[in-house]
Amino acid sequence: MKCFRLLFLASLVTLVAASPLRAADGDGREGTIFTFWPLIDYRESPAEEFSNLSILGPLIKIQRQGDEAVTAIRPLVYRTSVERNDSVGASIIYPLASVTSSPEQWNLQVLQLFQVNEFRRDEPGETEDTSMLFPLYIRGESSEHGTYTSVFPFYGTLYNRLFRDEIHYVLFPLYGRTVAKGTTTRHYLYPFFATIEGQEESGWQFWPLYGRSSGEGRYDKQFVLWPLYLKERTGLDTDNPTERLTMFPFYASTESPRLSSRSYLWPFTGWSSDHATGQEERYYLWPLIMTARGEKREVDRFLPFYSREQTRESAKQWYLWPLFNHDEITSDTYCRDRDRLLFFLYSDSIERWPIDGAERRTTALWPLFTFHRNERGVKSFSFPAPLEPLTPREGIEQNWAPLWRLYIQKWNDGGDSAVSFLWNLYWHEKRGNDVAYEVFPLLAYRTQGEGSDVSILKGFVRYRSSGDKRMLRLFWLPFDLEWTGNSHEVRGVAPPGETRIEARYEP
């Protein structure tokens, strides 16, 4: 008896697997839908050059549309490729690592700390490559100096890195030398001892006790017990020579033809005046209380009760910070209105492109849902949303979000819609007058053109009609009972799955 049951179950699975739903596309080519939740879900539409295979719900995905292909083993790997431009991109446990490749370059990065980059030059066979395990190892190429290498903290030479033209060091922090805009600075036991030299330029420091440097006719800087006393004059060879004096925290001043500022007992009170634009600012207990008036911006800040900041193209308001925030961006090419509660708890953003006449909207309530309406008017709703409101990034959308989305729906103004619950345990799609849905394994229903297809228990009882032709199959038998009857006009469509939910309305 036990062997008989096992044989029966094996036969049942085989019969189910051999009974995919098929429907002809508009050009006569058949589309295929085969589901056996949650093990496998396969969708194919030759007319759209589209196919998708999902295994174990959202865990494994193999999709192709035209010359674009996606292969995913979530959350480990998500790979995309485009044949027309010979490009490939893959993320590995996003955002841990990624790899991209194109005819022009190849890149690998791990947490932005380890990087390998290769760039193809115009000459055939010529490449330029850089590599880095920051800050321990950096290797690159300079068009002026050639190849350079840094093995921190033992020895290194860098060019055009870290805001310096040159960096050289040995057994850091024992010795280091940097060059920036013709000024050479040598460090000994960084940051304590340093010398500065250049064209008509010299200086030295014993930080934090005392330091001084000057460039003939250009600048003069001095500090004593840094940061308690600092004095400097800069831009002496320009039309805006500037003098700064700091006696922290009692007094600080900046004076130049373009700007004057004072600070008394920082951060208690201070002011600044921009002579060129007429901008005036006052602050008390910075950053809690501040006012600003001028052409650049206007500010009224009385935190945590109220804050308003206005510029030519933007506006920002806070009420009972951080309870409610409203901000706007307005320009000839781009506009945005956004409301937020407690930073990311709730947000509603509307973006507009006036020249194109396009509009996009995103609404999110953490961690419950996200709602999105794209530029083509296609709307989507997903539940739940533990990360999307916090960091709305494409990598989260591709690698992680499908794993926890229990419910997702897409629809447009034309009445087309697609729904998936529990990764297609239940799915429903409507496109025009065509309708399809399935509640696995109880019932599957589908109508398309003048035909319909009803299946109970994945084909235990299956009834199909096409025009005046009728077909009935019982007990998963491999043959149909057929007869003819009066023609009934029925409209329908092939059902969706993850493929339809994710890509049905995309171009």
Side-chain angles (χ1 to χ4, degrees), residues 415-426:
D416 301 334
S417 65
V419 173
S420 176
F421 175 67
L422 282 179
W423 308 286
N424 283 354
L425 174 65
Y426 165 77

Side-chain angles (χ1 to χ4, degrees), residues 37-335:
W37 187 91
L39 300 180
I40 187 169
D41 188 305
Y42 179 72
R43 317 272 167 161
E44 181 184 16
S45 177
E48 299 175 354
E49 298 182 341
F50 175 86
S51 66
N52 184 89
L53 172 64
S54 297
I55 301 174
L56 296 175
L59 293 182
I60 300 176
K61 173 187 178 72
I62 303 172
Q63 178 178 296
R64 187 172 188 89
Q65 186 161 19
D67 65 347
E68 300 181 8
V70 173
T71 304
I73 305 176
R74 295 185 175 104
L76 301 179
V77 178
Y78 191 95
R79 180 184 184 274
T80 61
S81 64
V82 182
E83 292 181 359
R84 62 179 176 273
N85 55 19
D86 194 22
S87 64
V88 177
S91 59
I92 304 168
I93 314 180
Y94 177 87
L96 178 64
S98 66
V99 181
T100 59
S101 175
S102 70
E104 293 78 25
Q105 61 181 6
W106 182 88
N107 310 96
L108 165 68
Q109 68 83 23
V110 180
L111 291 177
Q112 300 298 326
L113 299 178
F114 174 70
Q115 298 183 16
V116 179
N117 305 292
E118 182 179 287
F119 305 93
R120 281 76 164 181
R121 292 177 174 172
D122 295 336
E123 297 83 359
E126 292 290 328
T127 62
E128 176 183 338
D129 62 271
T130 63
S131 55
M132 175 179 71
L133 179 57
F134 187 85
L136 302 179
Y137 175 80
I138 300 175
R139 180 183 181 276
E141 292 186 20
S142 167
S143 58
E144 181 179 356
H145 303 281
T147 302
Y148 59 84
T149 304
S150 168
V151 183
F152 186 85
F154 305 106
Y155 171 84
T157 295
L158 301 171
Y159 296 105
N160 300 313
R161 295 264 190 164
L162 304 175
F163 309 104
R164 297 292 187 271
D165 301 328
E166 299 179 27
I167 299 176
H168 310 271
Y169 67 88
V170 177
L171 296 177
F172 183 88
L174 292 183
Y175 173 76
R177 177 170 63 90
T178 65
V179 180
K181 298 181 180 180
T183 300
T184 299
T185 304
R186 288 180 169 84
H187 294 276
Y188 308 89
L189 287 176
Y190 179 89
F192 300 105
F193 303 95
T195 62
I196 300 170
E197 61 183 44
Q199 185 177 4
E200 298 181 340
E201 183 178 13
S202 63
W204 65 277
Q205 73 171 33
F206 180 17
W207 187 88
L209 301 180
Y210 179 82
R212 181 165 189 173
S213 63
S214 63
E216 185 67 28
R218 291 181 292 143
Y219 75 90
D220 183 72
K221 298 180 181 180
Q222 181 183 11
F223 72 81
V224 179
L225 295 176
W226 189 96
L228 300 182
Y229 178 85
L230 298 89
K231 182 179 181 180
E232 64 179 42
R233 296 185 301 152
T234 59
L236 302 181
D237 56 344
T238 69
D239 61 355
N240 188 48
T242 302
E243 294 187 10
R244 294 183 177 90
L245 174 63
T246 299
M247 291 182 288
F248 186 82
F250 307 103
Y251 175 78
S253 68
T254 300
E255 194 66 48
S256 74
R258 299 179 186 175
L259 177 69
S260 297
S261 70
R262 301 289 186 275
S263 174
Y264 306 95
L265 291 175
W266 187 92
F268 286 96
T269 182
W271 60 268
S272 67
S273 176
D274 190 322
H275 307 308
T277 63
Q279 187 78 29
E280 300 283 344
E281 298 184 3
R282 298 285 187 274
Y283 66 84
Y284 310 90
L285 291 175
W286 185 91
L288 299 181
I289 301 175
M290 177 184 174
T291 62
R293 295 291 184 271
E295 296 181 2
K296 291 183 179 180
R297 62 173 184 161
E298 292 188 1
V299 179
D300 291 299
R301 182 187 301 160
F302 306 97
L303 294 180
F305 305 105
Y306 173 76
S307 175
R308 180 188 70 89
E309 182 173 348
Q310 178 81 47
T311 66
R312 294 177 180 177
E313 294 187 347
S314 67
K316 182 187 299 184
Q317 292 177 304
W318 281 100
Y319 299 89
L320 295 176
W321 183 92
L323 179 61
F324 177 76
N325 168 254
H326 174 79
D327 60 80
E328 302 175 11
I329 297 176
T330 305
S331 70
D332 295 336
T333 58
Y334 176 75
C335 301

